[in-house]
C-alpha cells in the first residue's frame, strides 16, 4: 500500500509533546496492516470477490479487518477469547457484520492464544478457500507500515529514537525498517509487558490488551531492537493516567501510555535527540475497563505512583520479580544471542498461505 493510497483514517496524527519529543497518534493503528494485508492479498489473487477473511484477534486487529471487509464486500470471521470480547469490541464487530467465534480463557495466556489458533485452523478447514491474514507471521503486515515511516519523516525530517509497544512485531519492525531504508538510523525501543514471551520472559497473566504476547510471533525481528523495556500492568495504567493529565488533548489508551512512559524517560535523558513515540489507539475501547478505577481495583491491579525510571539489568529480568519497569540493552542481537534459546515462531506460514 503506497502513501498516496492511504486515507486519513490510516495515517497517524503527529503531536508535539515537547522540544524534540513527538507522538505518532493513531485512532486505531491496526487499520494499517488490516487494510494493507487484505488489499495486497486481493492484488496477489489470494482473495477473490466475495471471499472470506479469517483471523485471531484480541480486538483491535479484528476491528480493522471488519472495517476493510465491510468496505470491500468480504465475509469476516474472527476468533477471539472471553477477556478480549468486551462490550465495546463486541458492539463494534456486530455493527460491522463480522462473525465472531469465542474461545474460553485459560490461566496461561499462551494456552488461550493457542486455543484461538486451534479454532482458527478448524474454521479454515471448514472454509478451505478463506484467506488467513495471519498478523503474527505475515511479512505484508510489516511492509504495510512503510507508509507510516514515510509520514513520520515528512513531518519530522529526521528521527533519532522510535519507541513502540510490541505485540505481533509488525508495526515496530515495519516503522523502523521504513525509516532505516530512508537514510536515518533511529534507535528502536521495544515496550513489552511482564508475562509476555516475546523477548524471553516466561509466560504469565497479562491484563493489558494490545501489547505483549503469549506466543512467539514470526514478524518480530529481534535484531532490529536497541532496547527492551518490560512494564507491569500497574505501571502501564499509571502511565496512561499521567499522559491524560499532562497532555489533556491526547485521547489515548494503555498501549499509548506505555510508549509515553518510556519515551518521556528517554527524552529526559537525551533531550537533544528527536524522540518519536507511537501511540497505537485511542481511549474509546478502554473507558469502562482500564479507564475506570473501580474496574482496575476489582481486577486486583494495584494503582501506585508512576515509576520514574527503569531498573537496568544485564540479564533477563526474571531475576527481579515484581519490578514495575525493567530495561535491557538488546543492542540489535538475535533472540538466541540474548536468551541462549532458539526463537521458534508459534504460527509459521509459508508460500501462498501468506
Amino acid at each position: 500500500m503506497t502513501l498516496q493510497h492511504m486515507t486519513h483514517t490510516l495515517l497517524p496524527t503527529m503531536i508535539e509533546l515537547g522540544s524534540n519529543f513527538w507522538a505518532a497518534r493513531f485512532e486505531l493503528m491496526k487499520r494499517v496492516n488490516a487494510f494493507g494485508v487484505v488489499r495486497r492479498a486481493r492484488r496477489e489473487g489470494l482473495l477473490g470477490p466475495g471471499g472470506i477473511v479469517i483471523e485471531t484477534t484480541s480486538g483491535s486487529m479484528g476491528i480493522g479487518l471488519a472495517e476493510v471487509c465491510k468496505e470491500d464486500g468480504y465475509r469476516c470471521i474472527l476468533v477471539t477469547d472471553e477477556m478480549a470480547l468486551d462490550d465495546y469490541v463486541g458492539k463494534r464487530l456486530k455493527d460491522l457484520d463480522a462473525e465472531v467465534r469465542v474461545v474460553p480463557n485459560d490461566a496461561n495466556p499462551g494456552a488461550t492464544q493457542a486455543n484461538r489458533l486451534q479454532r482458527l485452523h478448524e474454521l479454515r478447514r471448514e472454509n478451505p478457500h478463506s484467506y488467513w491474514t495471519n498478523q503474527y507471521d505475515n511479512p505484508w503486515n510489516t511492509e504495510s507500515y512503510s507508509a507510516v515511516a514515510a509520514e513520520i519523516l515528512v513531518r519530522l525530517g529526521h528521527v533519532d529514537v522510535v519507541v513502540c509497544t510490541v505485540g505481533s512485531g509488525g508495526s515496530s519492525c515495519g516503522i523502523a525498517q521504513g525509516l532505516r531504508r530512508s537514510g536515518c538510523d533511529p534507535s528502536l525501543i521495544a515496550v513489552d509487558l511482564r508475562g509476555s514471551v516475546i523477548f524471553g520472559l516466561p509466560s504469565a497473566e497479562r491484563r493489558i490488551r494490545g501489547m505483549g504476547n503469549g506466543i512467539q510471533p514470526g514478524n518480530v525481528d529481534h535484531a532490529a531492537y536497541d532496547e527492551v523495556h518490560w512494564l507491569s500492568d500497574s505501571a502501564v495504567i499509571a502511565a496512561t493516567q499521567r499522559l491524560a493529565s499532562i497532555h489533556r488533548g491526547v485521547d489515548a489508551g494503555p498501549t499509548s501510555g506505555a510508549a509515553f512512559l518510556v519515551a518521556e524517560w528517554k527524552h529526559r535523558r537525551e533531550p537533544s535527540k528527536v524522540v518519536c513515540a507511537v501511540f497505537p489507539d485511542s481511549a474509546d475501547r478502554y473507558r469502562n475497563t482500564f479507564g475506570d478505577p473501580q474496574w482496575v481495583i476489582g481486577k486486583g491491579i494495584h494503582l501506585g505512583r508512576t515509576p520514574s525510571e527503569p531498573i537496568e539489568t544485564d540479564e533477563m529480568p526474571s531475576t527481579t520479580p515484581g519490578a514495575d519497569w525493567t530495561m535491557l540493552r538488546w543492542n540489535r542481537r538475535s533472540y538466541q544471542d540474548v536468551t541462549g534459546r532458539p526463537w521458534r515462531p508459534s504460527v509459521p506460514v509459508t508460500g501462498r498461505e501468506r
Side-chain angles (χ1 to χ4, degrees):
M1 184 184 299
T2 60
L3 186 62
Q4 58 264 34
H5 292 126
M6 307 267 299
T7 70
H8 70 282
T9 61
L10 301 184
L11 291 175
T13 300
M14 299 303 299
I15 300 173
E16 188 172 11
L17 301 176
S19 177
N20 289 333
F21 186 18
W22 292 81
R25 179 192 172 277
F26 292 85
E27 289 292 331
L28 184 67
M29 186 175 67
K30 289 290 189 178
R31 285 188 180 121
V32 174
N33 54 306
F35 276 69
V37 169
V38 168
R39 290 181 175 173
R40 177 67 178 271
R42 182 176 65 191
R43 292 198 301 273
E44 297 291 332
L46 303 181
L47 187 58
I52 302 173
V53 172
I54 293 182
E55 183 58 282
T56 171
T57 175
S58 294
S60 296
M61 183 65 175
I63 292 172
L65 285 172
E67 288 177 342
V68 68
C69 288
K70 181 77 169 179
E71 183 172 320
D72 292 355
Y74 300 123
R75 182 182 169 195
C76 182
I77 304 177
L78 302 171
V79 181
T80 188
D81 59 80
E82 294 168 335
M83 185 179 293
L85 194 67
D86 55 42
D87 291 343
Y88 176 86
V89 172
K91 183 178 186 306
R92 185 77 181 119
L93 294 178
K94 182 178 179 181
D95 290 344
L96 292 165
D97 297 327
E99 302 171 37
V100 182
R101 308 291 187 266
V102 184
V103 302
N105 284 97
D106 191 281
N108 182 338
T112 297
Q113 287 184 289
N115 291 338
R116 286 182 2 195
L117 286 167
Q118 180 179 351
R119 182 70 180 110
L120 179 142
H121 289 304
E122 291 172 357
L123 289 165
R124 292 182 73 201
R125 288 192 291 271
E126 294 169 11
N127 300 276
H129 300 295
S130 61
Y131 176 71
W132 177 26
T133 53
N134 192 3
Q135 60 171 317
Y136 300 127
D137 191 10
N138 187 333
W140 296 342
N141 175 350
T142 303
E143 291 170 12
S144 64
Y145 286 96
S146 61
V148 175
E151 177 70 4
I152 291 172
L153 285 178
V154 165
R155 291 295 310 277
L156 304 186
H158 177 79
V159 183
D160 296 300
V161 181
V162 179
V163 180
C164 299
T165 53
V166 182
S168 72
S171 59
S172 55
C173 292
I175 291 171
Q177 288 174 11
L179 291 171
R180 290 167 181 170
R181 282 197 301 264
S182 298
C184 67
D185 187 22
S187 295
L188 176 60
I189 297 180
V191 186
D192 198 7
L193 287 172
R194 296 193 69 87
S196 165
V197 305
I198 298 175
F199 293 97
L201 293 193
S203 178
E205 182 182 14
R206 294 172 286 108
R207 286 160 291 195
I208 303 295
R209 313 301 292 189
M211 60 185 290
N213 218 314
I215 61 175
Q216 296 181 329
N219 280 330
V220 176
D221 176 11
H222 291 91
Y225 299 94
D226 296 274
E227 296 176 14
V228 177
H229 294 246
W230 290 271
L231 302 179
S232 67
D233 291 341
S234 60
V236 172
I237 294 172
T240 307
Q241 293 172 343
R242 174 175 166 77
L243 172 59
S245 66
I246 294 176
H247 301 283
R248 296 184 182 277
V250 180
D251 184 41
T255 50
S256 302
F260 171 72
L261 177 65
V262 176
E264 184 187 43
W265 168 80
K266 192 70 173 179
H267 175 251
R268 289 198 310 268
R269 286 173 58 92
E270 302 182 62
S272 65
K273 292 188 175 181
V274 178
V275 176
C276 181
V278 176
F279 289 0
D281 59 6
S282 72
D284 289 346
R285 176 184 173 184
Y286 308 101
R287 297 194 196 283
N288 295 324
T289 54
F290 298 106
D292 180 355
Q294 294 305 312
W295 185 94
V296 171
I297 293 171
K299 291 295 181 180
I301 302 174
H302 174 66
L303 290 175
R305 297 175 60 184
T306 309
S308 60
E309 61 183 18
I311 298 171
E312 185 170 353
T313 177
D314 294 327
E315 55 190 21
M316 298 307 295
S318 55
T319 58
T320 54
D324 282 324
W325 181 2
T326 312
M327 169 217 173
L328 175 67
R329 296 187 187 276
W330 198 270
N331 294 330
R332 304 192 186 185
R333 291 174 289 172
S334 71
Y335 180 85
Q336 182 154 353
D337 284 344
V338 177
T339 68
R341 304 188 301 271
W343 177 249
R344 293 191 174 95
S346 304
V347 283
V349 177
T350 57
R352 290 180 61 83
E353 281 187 299
R354 289 189 185 276

